[in-house]
Amino acid sequence: MFLGPKFLFAFFNPNDELHGASRALAEFARSGDLPYRQFIVNEHALDEAATRLKKRALLRYAELLFKAVDESGLFRFERVPDEAFEQGRDRFIEWDGNDASFTDFVISSHMEELGVDHIATYDRHYQLFDVVTIPHIDLG
C-alpha cells in the first residue's frame, strides 16, 4: 500500500484531527489484521508531507518522518523511475480538466508501475485514478 502526502502529514502530526485514524491503520498493519505489511513512500510523497509538516506543524515532525522511513521496517522507500515520472508528467499535462497535483499524478503512475493498487490517503484527487483509497473517500 502506498501512503499519500496528506496521510503522512496526519500520521506524523499528533495535533492533526486524522492522526488517530492514521495510527490505527498502521497498528492494524503491524498486527497482521490487514493484508499490507509495508507502506510504500516515494520522494514526491515525502517532499510534500515534510514541507507541510514543517510549515503547518513542527520541523521535528518532518524529522520523525524521515527517521521512520529510514529505520522502520513498516515503511519502504521507492524512488520514482524515470518512466513513471514521465508518465505522470504527461498525464498531468494532458488531463487538464481536474485540480489534482503533479504529485498525485506521479504517485499514481508509480503505483501502476509497481502493480500497487491501494493508497492510504485523505486526498479525494486519487479517485481520478484506477486505485483504491483507504479510507474510502466519498465524493458525494
Side-chain angles (χ1 to χ4, degrees):
M1 171 187 291
F2 255 78
L3 297 183
K6 289 180 181 176
F7 183 90
L8 286 167
F9 176 82
F11 187 89
F12 285 94
N13 179 3
N15 300 313
D16 189 87
E17 64 182 310
L18 297 169
H19 178 74
S22 301
R23 288 292 184 164
L25 182 68
E27 280 304 312
F28 288 137
R30 274 191 204 113
S31 68
D33 292 333
L34 294 176
Y36 323 109
R37 297 295 172 255
Q38 283 190 315
F39 294 133
I40 303 167
V41 296
N42 65 25
E43 60 267 40
H44 292 268
L46 287 177
D47 172 25
E48 194 171 308
T51 300
R52 187 174 286 147
L53 286 164
K54 179 181 177 183
K55 290 183 176 184
R56 296 186 187 172
L58 294 173
L59 177 58
R60 177 70 183 131
Y61 299 154
E63 292 173 26
L64 293 172
L65 164 63
F66 291 128
K67 183 176 180 170
V69 169
D70 287 343
E71 299 175 6
S72 171
L74 187 61
F75 296 93
R76 185 176 98 209
F77 178 76
E78 291 278 342
R79 289 209 179 273
V80 177
D82 290 344
E83 296 80 20
F85 180 86
E86 291 165 7
Q87 182 180 50
R89 178 198 61 210
D90 293 347
R91 287 178 177 171
F92 177 76
I93 292 168
E94 292 167 6
W95 295 5
D96 63 352
N98 64 72
D99 59 352
S101 72
F102 178 62
T103 297
D104 299 339
F105 279 91
V106 171
I107 289 173
S108 68
S109 293
H110 193 191
M111 290 175 65
E112 184 178 318
E113 183 163 301
L114 291 175
V116 176
D117 61 359
H118 285 72
I119 183 168
T121 185
Y122 301 116
D123 187 338
R124 64 179 176 76
H125 296 121
Y126 286 95
Q127 294 289 335
L128 295 169
F129 310 108
D130 189 21
V131 299
V132 177
T133 57
I134 306 293
H136 173 72
I137 299 169
D138 184 10
L139 296 177

